[in-house]
Structures are given as structure tokens and as C-alpha cells.
Amino acid sequence: MSEPFSRHAKPAVAVDVVLLTVAEGALKVLVQRHTDRGLVLPGGIVRIDEPLEAAVARVLAQKAHLPDAFVEQLYTFGAVDRDPRGRVISVAYYALVPAERLATALAAADDLLLAVMDGIEVRAPSRLGYDHADIVRVAVERLRAKIDYTAVALELLPAEFTLRALQDVYETILGVRLAKPAFRRKMLDRGFLKPTGRLETGGAHRPAEIYVRA
Amino acid sequence: MSEPFSRHAKPAVAVDVVLLTVAEGALKVLVQRHTDRGLVLPGGIVRIDEPLEAAVARVLAQKAHLPDAFVEQLYTFGAVDRDPRGRVISVAYYALVPAERLATALAAADDLLLAVMDGIEVRAPSRLGYDHADIVRVAVERLRAKIDYTAVALELLPAEFTLRALQDVYETILGVRLAKPAFRRKMLDRGFLKPTGRLETGGAHRPAEIYVRA
DNA sequence: CCAAAAGTGTTGCTACTACACCCATGC
DNA sequence: GCATGGGTGTAGTAGCAACACTTTTGG
């Protein structure tokens, strides 16, 4: 692939990934320790012959050992001074993954951790570098908006789940308590879910039915 | 501003603008004649020290003599082969403008014209170059989605307008006929509109009240 | 008075909320 | 049996669509 418009100095193009998951009743973001910038989102420079989605997949595979995940483009951040090293335009993506799928990656890489969200702000353990807190904010706002007219929440759960688990995901993301009967009926009416007929076991109460994605 | 990551070949970054307007009962998009690519969207390369929104404003000012307009980021298109001259990543924006504001620009520049939309596809007078038809499709889908939970439609009308004119804009964009009483009440209940008390004149029928944005 | 379009009132349906209740399990 | 959480039924309400109707202008 040739290099066009080479008379002008060019910005660098990066992708940054906001990988969100729900664990222990909280929304969390995958971040990585950066030597002199504190915590930052996983990301990387887009190669000259690499599609944007391929760059995202590469970042996810390298950093989080995730060969596949739900990924969607979020927004492109292009402020001139967002990176002190020079002009870097970042095409941000967000990814949704069930918490279980991150366990091995977190155990293997000691520079990765899950930062806890407090509403739409990253709270623990510290602020993010660059404009990455802004990017996370936009990602959570997008997720909150999408959650109640699409089935994206299912990306945060394993293949089989109960309605209670799904409701917990909604309540965690939206930061509100929802009424159980209304939630049940809304979800079932939409047709995103399919009952398996099988039941959960182990609780000291009536076992819940197990659902899968329709 | 320095140039980081200069060991690698970099993609060029461009902005492309989908400027939409409603005129003569049709949704139209501003396009420009390109010497060897047919019709294309107005756009330009982002300068090394220029924010993305500034590049958009520059394009709109140069091409359409619009110093200000409603503009929102749409999506970033990064397919490797989308431009045969080389790797160009395009951050697409859409803009909404009342048709009257385009009259002078269209009269002055003979390489600009308004292509007519047929649903979400550009119809007349011919196909667009590059992947610009895809970009327009995404823009119209976004507009259709936003129109019924935000006040963006008002950007397509002059400062003062009647409910009938607003309904025409909705019907044109969505491609459906709407019921007048339902439309009236929905718009008024939302609080986007403010009645002026003044009435339209001239029609051979009861004059309509004039509204402005709330 | 008539045509045309603006604007209103009324009814019925749908969807969501709130609340009360019943069901199945472990202990 | 009791505590716990899963699951259902029902009644009230808010929003929206359909339809019929009234109002105000020009001719």
C-alpha cells in the first residue's frame, strides 16, 4: 500500500479499547499499567495496511488473550494535545466480555487490571492517563443508552444464565434497582431470550430457569 | 507539534461531511463533482495541528460558505482499500442545514450540487465515488434514529416555522405519512417548541401558528 | 357558502408500574 | 415449617393511534 499525501506531516492513528465487564456487582474496565502515565486503556497504533477492526482484534488478542469478543466502534478522539508525544488521533472502540473470560488473561499479565467504575467515572485505583477517562465516560453512556433497546447486555453474561443474573447486569450498568416482574416480562416479550427448560441448582430457594440467547 | 511514531508509515486522516437538507419534499445531500471520481462528499485532509472539528468547519466554510452549522461526528471509515490513492482513514461527520442557507453557495460554486435521496440510498444523478454511498447511508440511518428522540429536525428548518413544516420534515426523512393530531401533541409535549402567538399569512385556509425553538 | 388546512376532543388500545400473591428448594 | 428467592396475576395509569369534529382563512 502506497503512502498518499506525503507532502504533509501526518497525525498518527491509534485504536483504544474500552473493555467493559460486570463482576462482583460492579461495572469494571480493563486497564493497563503504563510506565509513566499511570493507568491507560489498552490500545495500539494502526498499521498502514491494517483495517481498524483488525487493529482492535490485535490489541485484544495481545493484551487480553481474547481472540473474539463483542466489539463496536465508539467515537474518534482527535484533540491536538491529547497525547503529549505528538498528534495521535484515536479511534475508540468498546468491547463487552463476560467476566469469566478475563480470568486467565488477568492472571497471566501482571500489568493488567480491572478498574472499578462509579457511575460513568473510573474510580479505583486511580485516574487514567491521557484523555482515557473521557473515552470511558462516552463508552458507559453509550452502553447505558444501548442496553434498553438492544440485546448487548447478553454479551456480558456466559452462554447460559438466569433472569436474575441478567437483571443484575442491568442494575449494575444503569445504577438503579429494577422491578422484577416488569423486567421479566420486558425481556421475554422482546424475544432476545430462549428458555432451555433446564433449572439452576444449588440455591436454598426455588431454582431459576436457565435461558440462552435467542 | 512534533511527529510521533515516525518510524512507521502512517495512514492519512481525512474528514468527510454528509451535509443533509430537506428541499422540495425530498431529503438531499451536498456533493461535489470530482474530476475523475464522479460525485463525492466534500472533505479534506486533517492537518497535523488541526482538531477534527476544525477540519470539518474548514471544509464547510470553504466548500459551502457555511461558517456555522449543526455538525456531529458520525463514524470513522478505515477500510484499507477505500481510497485507491493510498491508505486514508476518514472520520465522517454529518451536518444539518435549512435549505435556504445553501442557496448562495450552490449558485456561486458550479461544482456543487444537491443529490436527491431515495430512502437511505443516493439516487440522482449518479453513484458516489469511493465508499461515500456507504457513509451517506450511515448518516441517514443515524438521522432517522435521532429524529424521534431528539430535536435535530429543527436544524433543518428556518428559525420560525409552522407545525406543518416540521411534520413535512419528519415525513420526508422517515419516508412515511404521520397522523397530524398525534404529531402535534408529541412535539408540543416534548417542550422542544415554543409558540410565538403570531400567525402565518397568505394561505387560502386557516393560518397556522408560528413556532420557534424552545 | 365552499374549499382547504389548522387545530381540538374523545375513545380505545397497548405497555409499563406497583403490588399482592403463589411456588420450589434447602435447612 | 420457615426462610429465600423464583415466578405469576391483576389492577391502575400513562402514552399513543384513530377518528370525528370545530375553527379560520381566501375566494
Side-chain angles (χ1 to χ4, degrees):
Chain A
M1 170 65 64
S2 72
E3 230 194 309
F5 314 109
S6 30
R7 288 168 304 151
H8 305 82
K10 289 179 194 163
V13 179
V15 291
D16 285 310
V17 182
V18 182
L19 191 150
L20 296 169
T21 195
V22 172
E24 290 113 36
L27 184 61
K28 301 187 179 182
V29 199
L30 184 73
V31 293
Q32 109 180 259
R33 269 185 246 283
H34 186 279
T35 37
D36 43 55
R37 271 275 150 182
L39 298 177
V40 298
L41 294 173
I45 296 295
V46 177
R47 296 178 183 155
I48 189 74
D49 57 354
E50 181 183 49
L52 294 171
E53 286 74 16
V56 174
R58 178 167 55 79
V59 167
L60 282 175
Q62 280 177 6
K63 312 259 162 126
H65 300 290
L66 286 171
D68 65 303
F70 172 86
V71 171
E72 222 170 65
Q73 193 182 302
L74 181 62
Y75 196 81
T76 297
F77 294 81
V80 175
D81 59 354
R82 53 179 296 283
D83 190 323
R85 294 169 295 180
R87 183 76 194 278
V88 182
I89 290 170
S90 171
V91 185
Y93 284 75
Y94 72 103
L96 303 179
V97 167
E100 308 81 54
R101 294 197 57 196
L102 288 174
T104 53
L106 287 169
D110 62 344
D111 63 332
L112 288 181
L113 61 141
L114 288 175
V116 180
M117 298 293 302
D118 184 5
I120 62 169
E121 301 291 335
V122 181
R123 190 180 39 177
S126 73
R127 297 281 161 274
L128 300 190
Y130 308 116
D131 57 354
H132 289 188
D134 296 332
I135 300 179
V136 173
R137 212 174 292 123
V138 174
V140 176
E141 279 165 358
R142 177 85 123 253
L143 177 60
R144 284 186 173 183
K146 276 215 142 186
I147 206 180
D148 43 48
Y149 65 99
T150 69
V152 280
L154 301 180
E155 305 291 343
L156 293 165
L157 289 172
E160 306 199 324
F161 54 88
T162 62
L163 276 172
R164 177 76 244 171
L166 183 59
Q167 186 173 342
D168 285 341
V169 168
Y170 272 76
E171 293 181 344
T172 301
I173 291 171
L174 297 175
V176 293
R177 300 282 302 167
L178 300 173
K180 182 176 57 166
F183 183 81
R184 284 186 70 79
R185 282 186 275 250
K186 191 155 79 173
M187 287 302 136
L188 295 174
D189 289 353
R190 291 198 184 172
F192 297 153
L193 274 48
K194 199 169 58 181
T196 61
R198 282 178 295 119
L199 299 178
E200 206 185 25
T201 55
H205 50 76
R206 175 171 172 180
E209 179 155 18
I210 296 174
Y211 289 81
V212 296
R213 290 152 71 165
Chain B
M1 171 67 63
S2 72
E3 230 193 308
F5 314 109
S6 32
R7 288 168 303 151
H8 305 83
K10 289 179 193 162
V13 179
V15 291
D16 284 310
V17 181
V18 183
L19 190 149
L20 296 169
T21 196
V22 171
E24 290 112 35
L27 184 60
K28 302 187 179 182
V29 57
L30 184 73
V31 294
Q32 111 179 259
R33 268 185 246 284
H34 186 280
T35 38
D36 42 55
R37 272 276 150 180
L39 299 176
V40 297
L41 294 173
I45 296 295
V46 177
R47 296 179 184 156
I48 188 72
D49 57 355
E50 181 183 49
L52 294 170
E53 286 74 17
V56 174
R58 178 166 54 83
V59 167
L60 282 175
Q62 280 177 8
K63 310 262 162 122
H65 300 291
L66 286 171
D68 65 302
F70 172 86
V71 170
E72 223 170 64
Q73 191 182 302
L74 181 62
Y75 195 80
T76 297
F77 294 81
V80 175
D81 59 353
R82 52 179 297 283
D83 190 322
R85 293 169 295 179
R87 183 76 194 280
V88 182
I89 290 170
S90 171
V91 185
Y93 283 75
Y94 72 104
L96 303 179
V97 167
E100 307 81 56
R101 294 198 57 197
L102 289 173
T104 54
L106 287 169
D110 62 344
D111 64 331
L112 288 182
L113 61 140
L114 287 176
V116 180
M117 298 294 303
D118 185 4
I120 62 169
E121 300 291 336
V122 180
R123 189 179 40 178
S126 73
R127 295 282 160 273
L128 300 190
Y130 308 115
D131 57 353
H132 290 187
D134 296 333
I135 299 179
V136 172
R137 212 174 293 124
V138 174
V140 176
E141 279 165 357
R142 178 86 123 253
L143 177 59
R144 285 186 172 183
K146 276 216 140 186
I147 206 179
D148 41 49
Y149 65 98
T150 69
V152 280
L154 301 181
E155 304 291 342
L156 294 165
L157 289 172
E160 306 200 325
F161 53 88
T162 62
L163 276 172
R164 176 77 244 169
L166 183 59
Q167 186 173 344
D168 285 342
V169 167
Y170 271 77
E171 293 182 345
T172 300
I173 291 172
L174 297 174
V176 294
R177 300 283 300 168
L178 300 173
K180 181 176 54 163
F183 183 80
R184 283 187 70 78
R185 282 185 275 249
K186 190 153 82 172
M187 288 302 138
L188 294 175
D189 288 355
R190 290 198 185 173
F192 296 154
L193 275 49
K194 198 168 57 180
T196 62
R198 283 177 295 119
L199 299 178
E200 207 183 27
T201 57
H205 51 76
R206 175 170 171 179
E209 179 156 18
I210 294 173
Y211 288 82
V212 295
R213 291 152 71 166

